[in-house]
Amino acid sequence: MRYHPLSDVDRKAMLATIGVQDSAALYAPAPASTLIDAPLDLPRHKSEIEVERALRKLAARNVAAGSVPFFIGAGAYRHHVPATVDHLIQRSEFLTSYTPYQPEISQGTLQTLFEFQTQVALLTGMEVANASMYDGSTGTAEAVLMAHRLTGRRKALLSGGLHPQYAEVVRTISRLAEDSVADMPPDVDCVEDLIARIDDTLSCVVVQTPDFFGHLRDLTPIADACHRHGALLVAVFTEAVSLGLLTPPGAMGADIVVGEGQSIGNTLNFGGPYVGLFATRQEFVRQMPGRVAGESVDADGRRAFVLTLSTREQHIRRDKATSNICTNSGLCALAFTIHLTLLGEAGLTRLARLNHANAVALADMLAQAPGIEVLNQSFFNEFTLRLPCDAAALVERMAAKGVLAGVPVSRLLPDAGLDDLLVVASTETNTPQDRAAFVSALKESL
Amino acid sequence: MLDRPAINPEETPETFTGNRGLDQEEPLLFEIGRLETTGVDVDEAPDVAPRLGGLERKGPIGLPGLSEPETMRHYVRLSRRNYSIDAGLYPLGSCTMKHNPRLNEKMARLDGFADIHPLQPVSTAQGALALMEELAHWLMTLTNTHAIALSPKAGAHGELCGMMAIKSAIAARGEGASRNVVLIPQSAHGTNPATAALLGFSVRVVPAAADGTVRAEAVRTALGPDVAAIMLTNPNTCGLFEREIVEIAEAAHEAGAYFYCDGANFNAIAGVARPGDFGVDAMHINLHKTFSTPHGGGGPGAGPVVLSERLAPFAPVPFIRRAGDRLELVEHAEGTQSFGRMTAFHGQMGMFVRALAYLLAHGADGVAQASKDAVLSANYVRAALRDVMTPPFGDQLCMHEVLFDDAWLKGTGVSTLDFAKAMIDEGYHPMTMYFPLVVHGAMLIEPTESESKAALDLFIATLRDLARSAQEGDTQRFTQAPRLAPRRRVDETLAARKPVLRWRAA
């Protein structure tokens, strides 16, 4: 076995030092009834070339986004990731290091996390950010739990524009944590009146912008209403690139901002691993879940970074901890921060403008197609179409023509009677040829 | 212009820059980047009338950029200030730092895995579902269990998943109101009580016996009609196999409770013993630990949960279902007993690819060998150090990690922390310190199966030298350590008392 350095000669010598006969004797503490006495019905080890062959075969059965005109978003976006990003995150010292528990020999990870936290705070318009969460959806659930801790109330109101799977994650955890959730119906046209639903029983209101259907929302009046009633505003985004062009949630009064960072530096990966971004106000920092890196000094007075505020965490507070989380998406956060460093303000702004322009061009072309209605007055790089037919079936027909067209709303909301809606995203990766292919495949498939 | 980090000339007088040869200082991105600089050539956007609903950003963001060469140098320099498993032995007990094969990285980056969207038509992602099905088959076979939830994104997320399945099963039995206690041994990971508390359970602590393991009798005493589950780690956090695991499971089941096994240490027994045979109802498997997906400086991990027949119906969505020669993805809980959804999308696909690559490379034979070698290495370290360092529970066989306490340092003026920092000067990552909490000054060493005998011998010799040095009164070597790392001892108290969590313009 190529991964195991010990030879049988080594093993024998080591067993002699330990003073046992064979390696089976090392398992003597385990009851004999629990040890496997026959080989498991699983294959034996394979050479590198055999493993590669087996996995390439599986990979070949998937249609890669880059191989076709591709317009799928709804919480995960295809952007170009510069080669430098993947090269750097594959450096052993980043890839194969652990949580930076020993700050003296982990300054690389700690400084990048400190930079990441600063970038996330700037991007969201908030005061502080943590070192990342599993993803945007679990971060949203954690934000709701944090709002419960801060307000002493245990009921959240979810906007109908929130990504349905994010809402589902919040509902699942809330139900099992015996908290409650008030739901708004799917807000296809961005007309819901959240403010009328806000009262003194709510811990928070959770609103996404750009929302699941692509609409942009001014959060300011919602934030004001929340604050009048002692509730917090949790602002959610799933497309981090949008923050390059839009007023950040922090400037609209959000108290906690959570979102998905996959768009920057990370590939689609069939849904994970992704990187949750989590930012809040300084005053709430001790109730914030997750890891956080902070600045300090070493014994020589040099600037140094260290994981801090761990007294909130499970390994110290156990059943009194703010959260059971004991990890972050370190490497994905690193990819995010490297890509954002490469972009800088100038590059991010340009990238965001290009995304928006490509989406506008596509929306305008599609609005011309017979029977198609674009529902959005405003959007960033994603919008919703009302079709004269079933969206899921249309997507399959278009896939057969080699175009991956978007996400049928019915896939996420099967019982909402929204079978004719299609959420379409367009990024900088789409060319004019891709747009033309989309329109022509659509017309042929209607 | 850039301010150089403060240098105390009495302590580090060597250079003007603060650099020490190859060990180069690196300012923060915010101190060297410029708002107008970019390292990416993005096309100019065509001129369109924006449709942003008047919500355009009004002012600058304040995000500096670096050109591509500057970016490369910034992060390469930072990377060199990190210890990593590829650079040396990383004996972090309970964390499992083993070799990360690069084949796994290469496979995870195939376009057919990395460049597929979670919501593209299932007909265009059959290979991905087949991969998930195959990984699920391996994990269920290795554990002898009936169902699996792949979606949890880390070990602690897996715990949450398992406990949510248990809570749902208890509710389905009509006992939701009466069973609200979870038994947890004192030595458990902090995530266990935190998870139980998050779900509204109260925690009842089960003490360990003098040998560091939990007795079935102690569990029986703690059990009652109010107990929903026991959360037990096996092998436990003291590096010991829970000898009475089968009786403990039986006792829990007889009392109507479920057995959640913290699978953090599955890498000691994978291919050797099956948790399903112990009577486990739910167990998470840390793919990053057991199947060597890289830790990445703190994540991402992946924590699939295997489930017994009794808990299988409550597994979260999504899950995979076979329909003839096609695979389907069940994404909605309606009409099932599933407790719901834990995360948008399907879990850590990138980790699934790496874990399956690892499993295929090892085969069932190699997985068993890996476990046995991990246990062998830990016992070898134990046997070679037992005369200088003190095992807290007597001289007994350990599993894949060996635990010492600080009794042997008593009177030397050297603490566990000092000893750990001195290891840094010798070129090693310190062991896990002060965990488990039940042992005073705990030092938990996990060498893993990835180390050669020569590497272990050198490590052992180094620890013996350090131990002798401590006992001979050379306290400066320890209290001043580390002297040879990129940073000396960092002031953690200052960081917590006056948190500075981001850069701000001066």
Side-chain angles (χ1 to χ4, degrees):
Chain A
M1 208 320 74
R2 59 189 175 279
Y3 300 148
H4 301 159
L6 297 181
S7 68
D8 282 342
V9 176
D10 295 330
R11 291 182 181 115
K12 223 168 149 181
M14 292 163 74
L15 288 165
T17 302
I18 298 164
V20 296
Q21 282 296 312
D22 52 25
S23 74
L26 295 173
Y27 285 94
S33 68
T34 66
L35 296 174
I36 296 167
D37 51 5
L40 293 171
D41 185 17
L42 288 166
R44 285 177 56 79
H45 67 271
K46 286 182 167 52
S47 66
E48 178 152 334
I49 193 170
E50 287 173 312
V51 175
E52 194 162 340
R53 202 176 286 141
L55 287 170
R56 281 185 187 279
K57 214 165 147 182
L58 288 171
R61 291 174 57 198
N62 299 319
V63 177
S67 67
V68 290
F70 184 87
F71 298 90
I72 303 177
Y77 301 88
R78 184 166 193 271
H79 293 284
H80 176 72
V81 180
T84 302
V85 175
D86 194 44
H87 173 85
L88 286 169
I89 70 166
Q90 287 210 64
R91 285 200 46 104
S92 285
E93 303 90 330
F94 285 132
L95 183 73
T96 77
S97 59
Y98 191 70
T99 303
Y101 289 142
Q102 298 290 338
E104 299 84 1
I105 47 171
S106 307
Q107 288 297 304
T109 290
L110 288 162
Q111 183 169 333
T112 58
L113 289 178
F114 187 82
E115 293 179 347
F116 169 84
Q117 289 168 190
T118 307
Q119 287 173 322
V120 172
L122 289 167
L123 206 51
T124 54
M126 300 300 284
E127 288 168 329
V128 289
N130 74 10
S132 76
M133 312 293 284
Y134 306 139
D135 69 359
S137 66
T138 55
T140 303
E142 287 287 340
V144 169
L145 295 174
M146 176 172 153
H148 293 342
R149 289 193 296 277
L150 284 166
T151 60
R153 303 173 186 173
R154 302 184 67 173
K155 183 174 163 194
L157 173 64
L158 309 186
S159 155
L162 181 62
H163 191 289
Q165 293 185 334
Y166 283 42
E168 203 52 52
V169 173
V170 174
R171 273 194 293 267
T172 299
I173 289 182
S174 296
R175 193 181 72 249
L176 288 154
E178 294 166 27
D179 295 338
S180 58
V181 169
D183 274 313
M184 301 291 283
D187 186 24
V188 175
D189 297 301
C190 197
V191 294
E192 70 186 359
D193 186 2
L194 280 171
I195 291 170
R197 294 284 305 273
I198 300 173
D199 61 30
D200 292 351
T201 68
L202 292 180
S203 68
C204 63
V205 178
V206 184
V207 191
Q208 180 177 327
T209 182
D211 74 7
F212 175 68
F213 300 99
H215 307 289
L216 306 187
R217 294 180 179 228
D218 184 358
L219 302 179
T220 311
I222 305 171
D224 291 345
C226 283
H227 297 154
R228 274 198 304 280
H229 289 279
L232 303 181
L233 176 64
V234 176
V236 179
F237 59 90
T238 62
E239 171 52 292
V241 174
S242 69
L243 295 170
L245 199 51
L246 298 172
T247 302
M252 296 190 282
D255 299 289
I256 304 172
V257 182
V258 283
E260 179 53 67
Q262 172 271 332
S263 272
I264 299 182
N266 289 274
T267 54
L268 290 168
N269 279 326
F270 201 48
Y274 287 174
V275 48
L277 311 183
F278 195 111
T280 189
R281 302 188 183 288
Q282 181 77 38
E283 62 188 290
F284 299 152
V285 75
R286 286 173 200 273
Q287 287 299 327
M288 181 170 67
R291 284 183 185 143
V292 54
E295 186 182 321
S296 188
V297 292
D298 78 350
D300 290 344
R302 291 181 166 204
R303 179 167 70 189
F305 300 94
V306 63
L307 289 182
T308 190
L309 299 185
S310 61
T311 47
R312 308 160 298 131
E313 292 182 50
Q314 36 71 34
H315 62 277
I316 293 177
R317 296 268 285 161
R318 300 178 82 80
D319 52 337
K320 304 281 190 296
T322 52
S323 157
N324 79 330
I325 283 178
C326 76
T327 187
N328 63 326
S329 293
L331 202 69
C332 300
L334 179 68
F336 179 97
T337 197
I338 295 171
H339 191 181
L340 199 51
T341 298
L342 279 166
L343 285 165
E345 176 131 4
L348 179 68
T349 308
R350 261 170 101 108
L351 181 66
R353 269 198 218 105
L354 183 57
N355 269 257
H356 184 55
N358 279 1
V360 167
L362 181 67
D364 286 348
M365 284 167 81
L366 291 169
Q368 310 283 311
I372 304 270
E373 184 193 350
V374 177
L375 297 186
N376 303 59
Q377 299 295 314
S378 68
F379 58 91
F380 172 63
N381 67 355
E382 187 162 29
F383 50 84
T384 301
L385 300 181
R386 179 166 283 131
L387 304 169
C389 61
D390 182 90
L394 178 92
V395 163
E396 288 289 348
R397 288 197 294 276
M398 289 180 68
K401 294 182 192 304
V403 174
L404 293 182
V407 179
V409 170
S410 62
R411 176 157 178 186
L412 294 113
L413 293 166
D415 304 321
L418 301 172
D419 298 351
D420 56 349
L421 298 188
L422 183 67
V423 176
V424 174
S426 175
T427 70
E428 79 285 357
T429 63
N430 295 132
T431 62
Q433 292 76 15
D434 289 341
R435 286 194 284 276
F438 185 108
V439 173
S440 111
L442 175 70
K443 284 180 177 162
E444 289 167 29
S445 307
L446 278 173
Chain B
M1 262 319 279
L2 148 72
D3 285 327
R4 288 203 178 110
I7 298 170
N8 178 342
E10 283 176 22
E11 292 286 343
T12 49
E14 305 102 317
T15 60
F16 297 112
T17 52
N19 296 344
R20 292 179 237 191
L22 291 182
D23 177 12
Q24 292 157 312
E25 291 297 314
E26 183 62 16
L28 284 166
L29 155 66
F30 304 93
E31 294 159 342
I32 51 175
R34 296 154 311 269
L35 290 189
E36 71 279 11
T37 303
T38 181
V40 184
D41 290 328
V42 179
D43 288 344
E44 192 64 59
D47 205 15
V48 298
R51 231 161 289 175
L52 297 168
L55 291 169
E56 290 94 329
R57 196 181 258 281
K58 303 293 186 296
I61 309 169
L63 284 173
L66 296 175
S67 66
E68 188 174 303
E70 292 171 295
T71 301
M72 189 64 89
R73 195 168 284 166
H74 181 63
Y75 291 101
V76 167
R77 283 183 170 179
L78 287 177
S79 76
R80 287 159 41 140
R81 305 177 83 76
N82 265 6
Y83 196 90
S84 72
I85 186 64
D86 285 354
L89 206 151
Y90 218 125
L92 268 179
S94 171
C95 301
T96 313
M97 297 300 289
K98 59 165 82 171
H99 175 55
N100 301 148
R102 286 311 188 279
L103 170 66
N104 305 355
E105 294 304 305
K106 187 177 173 189
M107 293 299 96
R109 285 172 171 78
L110 293 176
D111 278 350
F113 297 133
D115 194 25
I116 55 173
H117 192 287
L119 296 174
Q120 70 187 55
V122 169
S123 60
T124 65
Q126 287 289 304
L129 299 190
L131 182 138
M132 289 163 74
E133 192 191 39
E134 189 169 348
L135 177 66
H137 174 71
W138 273 88
L139 299 180
M140 288 190 288
T141 306
L142 286 169
T143 53
N144 192 25
T145 48
H146 286 79
I148 189 164
L150 286 174
S151 62
K153 290 188 160 261
H157 206 219
E159 284 177 29
L160 193 60
C161 174
M163 293 306 291
M164 293 206 289
I166 287 171
K167 186 157 180 170
S168 304
I170 284 172
R173 277 159 44 180
E175 295 184 276
S178 55
R179 290 192 183 265
N180 45 26
V181 172
V182 172
L183 306 186
I184 301 180
Q186 258 173 320
S187 60
H189 295 117
T191 50
N192 293 172
T195 299
L198 199 161
L199 296 176
F201 291 112
S202 55
V203 171
R204 187 175 297 158
V205 173
V206 183
D211 70 352
T213 63
V214 174
R215 287 279 170 277
E217 194 46 46
V219 173
R220 272 190 216 105
T221 307
L223 279 166
D226 56 347
V227 174
I230 180 166
M231 295 181 86
L232 195 64
T233 308
N234 187 41
N236 70 22
T237 56
C238 301
L240 305 171
F241 197 97
E242 291 288 355
R243 293 164 192 267
E244 298 187 7
I245 186 98
V246 176
E247 287 169 79
I248 290 169
E250 281 168 5
H253 289 158
E254 276 164 26
Y258 291 93
F259 177 9
Y260 185 86
C261 185
D262 182 320
N265 298 329
F266 185 49
N267 59 309
I269 58 170
V272 178
R274 298 181 300 184
D277 298 341
F278 309 154
V280 162
D281 290 301
M283 182 182 91
H284 72 268
I285 300 172
N286 304 74
L287 296 186
H288 42 291
K289 294 177 54 168
T290 305
F291 305 124
S292 86
T293 65
H295 285 78
V305 175
V306 289
L307 298 166
S308 65
E309 205 165 2
R310 306 193 302 155
L311 289 182
F314 304 99
V317 290
F319 51 84
I320 294 165
R321 187 164 60 192
R322 195 160 265 285
D325 59 349
R326 287 169 53 84
L327 291 167
E328 291 177 345
L329 200 56
V330 178
E331 296 181 277
H332 299 282
E334 287 72 26
T336 72
Q337 284 183 281
S338 165
F339 72 70
R341 173 175 284 277
M342 297 203 66
T343 172
F345 313 130
H346 327 310
Q348 309 286 60
M349 178 65 180
M351 300 298 136
F352 303 160
V353 180
R354 290 171 177 87
L356 185 62
Y358 175 97
L359 283 164
L360 293 177
H362 278 75
D365 50 330
V367 170
Q369 188 66 58
S371 300
K372 288 176 191 165
D373 282 356
V375 172
L376 177 65
S377 296
N379 277 291
Y380 183 60
V381 170
R382 179 184 61 79
L385 293 174
R386 62 185 154 191
D387 60 329
V388 290
M389 293 166 72
T390 41
F393 304 113
D395 186 27
Q396 52 174 326
L397 287 170
C398 62
M399 287 287 111
H400 63 300
E401 52 194 354
V402 53
L403 180 62
F404 296 103
D405 62 18
D406 64 354
W408 61 283
L409 282 172
K410 212 168 181 188
T412 61
V414 174
S415 68
T416 293
L417 181 72
D418 298 331
F419 188 81
K421 299 300 183 190
M423 286 172 67
I424 292 175
D425 284 335
E426 302 296 335
Y428 289 104
H429 193 283
M431 72 287 265
T432 291
M433 295 177 294
Y434 302 113
F435 181 80
L437 305 177
V438 288
V439 171
H440 196 269
M443 303 179 209
L444 189 61
I445 298 175
E446 180 174 5
T448 82
E449 72 276 14
S450 299
E451 300 303 328
S452 68
K453 181 168 178 295
L456 292 175
D457 286 339
L458 191 58
F459 176 65
I460 289 162
T462 308
L463 290 197
R464 293 187 72 88
D465 285 340
L466 285 173
R468 196 183 57 244
S469 169
Q471 264 140 9
E472 286 171 357
D474 184 10
T475 48
Q476 280 229 331
R477 175 188 296 278
F478 298 91
T479 55
Q480 296 297 306
R483 293 162 296 136
L484 305 173
R487 283 293 178 274
R488 303 284 303 281
R489 205 96 46 109
V490 177
D491 188 344
E492 303 197 20
T493 312
L494 173 69
R497 197 176 299 144
K498 294 184 180 168
V500 178
L501 308 181
R502 60 173 284 191
W503 175 87
R504 279 178 198 278

